[in-house]
């Protein structure tokens, strides 16, 4: 995976003024666009689209300082108008191209990324691989923004809004793995952009043939392979640390890649105030 990401970065570097077809590039690298975008975002700390924009505006700054009209520069970097180019330029540098041309700056440079694998072993990766038939996730869903670190207040508010009787009711419906009450994230942006919206479902897993109450939301999950990571400790920091380590340590070291589908957290045990928990993180995977 590290080699694939570095080849991706080198391709981007050589085509910053071109239209970059990430899906076609991923196929050429022997992987999928979904996995490539998720791994890039996890390891680089920014979406691939954001990195491309920053690198383009880094090079564009030199053109603004040394070349001709702004329309020509805008077109060179794929923008249809000077206004669209100026907005992208300002979002990276904090000032417009006219200001840079007059004053020489300020400029914010996005360095050329290079990925290196460093496995420190500080995150125990207690993992199992399981093949599951098709099943359903049922419960109460809401659209919430993605937050990378700490508790998500939007998810907390959604769960708090449910009547107390819903939790035992949902537990009673649970009939297949992952067992118990589940925290489900679906329809996640492949770039894993913080602030982008996802579907969060508080619910349980039931068999594909199960009868689902009409008042519950449903996510259909096709048959497939899952990597299941066991986590234990401070919540949610222990879970988030293992989630991050799947990208930095587990996927680069194993012949698996992410496939589209929901990610699922099963809470197996928890402290009275939920400051500690034992969980399973379920990620949909396929052979790389």
């Amino acid at each position: 995976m590290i080699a694939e990401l570095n080849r991706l970065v080198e391709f981007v570097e050589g085509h910053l003024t071109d239209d970059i077809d990430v899906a076609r590039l991923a196929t050429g690298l022997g992987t999928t666009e979904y996995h490539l975008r998720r791994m890039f975002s996890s390891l680089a700390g920014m979406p691939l689209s954001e990195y491309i924009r920053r690198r383009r505006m880094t090079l564009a700054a030199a053109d603004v300082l040394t070349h001709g009209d702004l329309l020509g520069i805008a077109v060179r970097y794929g923008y249809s108008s000077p206004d669209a180019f100026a907005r992208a330029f300002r979002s990276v540098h904090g000032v417009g191209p006219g200001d840079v041309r007059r004053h020489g700056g300020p400029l914010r440079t996005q360095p050329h990324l290079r990925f290196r694998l460093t496995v420190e072993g500080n995150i125990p990766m207690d993992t199992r691989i399981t093949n599951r038939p098709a099943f359903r996730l049922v419960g109460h869903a809401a659209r919430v923004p993605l937050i990378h670190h700490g508790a998500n207040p939007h998810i907390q508010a959604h769960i708090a809004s449910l009547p107390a009787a819903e939790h035992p009711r949902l537990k009673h419906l649970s009939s297949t793995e992952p067992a118990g009450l589940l925290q489900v994230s679906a329809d996640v942006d492949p770039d894993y952009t913080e602030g982008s919206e996802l579907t969060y479902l508080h619910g349980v897993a039931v068999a594909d043939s199960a009868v689902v109450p009409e008042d519950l939301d449903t996510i259909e999950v096709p048959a497939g392979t899952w990597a299941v990571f066991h986590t234990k400790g401070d919540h949610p920091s222990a879970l988030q640390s293992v989630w991050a380590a799947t990208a930095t340590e587990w996927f680069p070291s194993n012949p698996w890649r992410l496939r589209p589908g929901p990610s699922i957290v099963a809470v197996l045990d928890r402290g009275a105030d939920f400051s500690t928990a034992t969980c399973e993180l379920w990620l949909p995977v396929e052979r790389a």
Side-chain angles (χ1 to χ4, degrees):
M1 190 67 235
I2 296 299
E4 292 166 358
L5 288 171
N6 281 323
R7 287 197 294 272
L8 166 65
V9 167
E10 291 306 317
F11 181 88
V12 166
E13 198 64 22
H15 297 80
L16 285 172
T17 57
D18 301 330
D19 183 23
I20 298 174
D21 186 340
V22 179
R24 183 176 180 180
L25 179 57
T27 300
L29 292 173
T31 186
T32 64
E33 180 182 5
Y34 183 87
H35 184 67
L36 197 64
R37 286 185 180 275
R38 285 292 295 271
M39 289 299 100
F40 185 96
S41 175
S42 296
L43 294 174
M46 73 182 90
L48 175 58
S49 56
E50 175 67 11
Y51 174 71
I52 293 172
R53 185 170 63 90
R54 291 184 188 182
R55 283 299 296 152
R56 280 176 171 158
M57 292 303 102
T58 296
L59 267 62
D63 288 352
V64 167
L65 288 169
T66 59
H67 288 82
D69 68 288
L70 293 180
L71 176 59
I73 297 172
V75 171
R76 186 179 308 127
Y77 287 95
Y79 294 89
S80 59
S81 71
D83 286 344
F85 172 73
R87 285 193 295 271
F89 192 94
R90 185 179 294 276
S91 70
V92 172
H93 297 291
V95 294
D99 298 317
V100 168
R101 179 163 283 183
R102 285 189 296 272
H103 305 296
L107 296 172
R108 296 173 184 165
T109 299
Q110 170 60 58
H112 180 173
L113 283 180
R114 289 178 178 82
F115 293 92
R116 293 182 176 88
L117 175 60
T118 302
V119 180
E120 298 178 352
N122 61 327
I123 303 294
M125 303 300 286
D126 183 359
T127 314
R128 63 187 171 95
I129 302 295
T130 182
N131 291 307
R132 300 289 298 128
F135 61 93
R136 292 175 174 175
L137 296 163
V138 301
H140 299 277
R143 295 289 287 174
V144 301
L146 173 64
I147 294 177
H148 287 165
H149 303 290
N152 188 319
H154 306 276
I155 291 175
Q156 291 178 323
H158 171 60
I159 295 173
S161 70
L162 301 177
E166 275 303 285
H167 306 296
R169 177 199 178 203
L170 289 171
K171 281 185 179 180
H172 182 72
L173 290 174
S174 175
S175 61
T176 189
E177 280 200 306
L181 281 174
L182 307 175
Q183 303 168 354
V184 180
S185 298
D187 307 320
V188 181
D189 172 21
D191 281 328
Y192 218 61
T193 306
E194 187 159 26
S196 61
E197 281 201 336
L198 59 92
T199 298
Y200 175 83
L201 182 136
H202 180 75
V204 296
V206 300
D208 187 44
S209 58
V211 177
V212 178
E214 292 184 359
D215 64 325
L216 296 181
D217 300 304
T218 301
I219 298 174
E220 301 286 346
V221 183
T225 303
W226 298 79
V228 184
F229 301 87
H230 187 85
T231 78
K232 185 176 183 178
D234 293 339
H235 189 78
S237 59
L239 174 63
Q240 290 171 336
S241 294
V242 169
W243 203 315
T246 64
T248 58
E249 299 185 22
W250 195 81
F251 280 109
S253 306
N254 288 275
W256 300 94
R257 67 188 178 204
L258 283 167
R259 59 181 174 85
S263 55
I264 304 169
V265 174
V267 180
L268 307 181
D269 191 22
R270 51 172 285 186
D273 60 355
F274 217 163
S275 63
T276 61
T278 299
C279 303
E280 283 186 342
L281 169 62
W282 288 61
L283 298 179
V285 298
E286 60 189 6
R287 290 284 298 190

